[in-house]
Amino acid sequence: MWGASLWAPQVASLDAACLAALATALAVASATDLERRVVPNGCVVAAALSGALRAAACGELVHALAGALAVLAVMLGAALLSLRARGEPGVGGGDVKLLAAVATWVGPAAGLAVVAAACALGVLWWLAARGVSLALGRGAPRGEGIALAPAIALAALTVVLLPLWAGR
């Protein structure tokens, strides 16, 4: 896998800079989403450009772009289905863009795995928050939605870093 060089003895500066840009973008996106329920476009751009730059340097730009397009297609399709069924998209545009940006790092298959993991983590977070709210006698929270960027960050960094730690 192209990212395995990150942990080799000769750590490439481009690898390290791109990974730092991704981690920073995901951290800022997470904090902002938790506070204001917004994913800043600058975070999306930083994540996408760092992934595309890294992929281009390794000759895998087409794979990176295919990942972004696959995730965009799935997420936009899900949003359209939700809009038709419930009258609301069910996911924010910033979350969709951030997921597509992350897919530039991992390609189509792993990009869709990030989507699945982030959605599962988001639902678990929502269930936990709902349980705590009910246990404290506050009733079920309504209309807040889920700050999905923290779940996206956890899923993305796991999918990006796990193969590196495993030595692939």
Side-chain angles (χ1 to χ4, degrees), residues 9-91:
Q10 310 87 349
V11 176
S13 348
L14 178 63
D15 289 341
C18 287
L19 186 58
L22 175 66
T24 302
L26 291 172
V28 171
S30 296
T32 307
D33 198 19
L34 284 168
E35 183 181 330
R36 297 185 290 160
R37 296 295 194 267
V38 172
V39 175
N41 284 331
C43 295
V44 172
V45 170
L49 286 179
S50 63
L53 178 62
R54 177 65 184 91
C58 296
E60 297 191 6
L61 186 57
V62 172
H63 188 252
L65 296 177
L69 289 175
V71 167
L72 273 175
V74 167
M75 293 305 297
L76 291 176
L80 287 173
L81 287 174
S82 178
L83 186 61
R84 188 171 275 210
R86 298 180 38 215
E88 60 184 58
V91 64

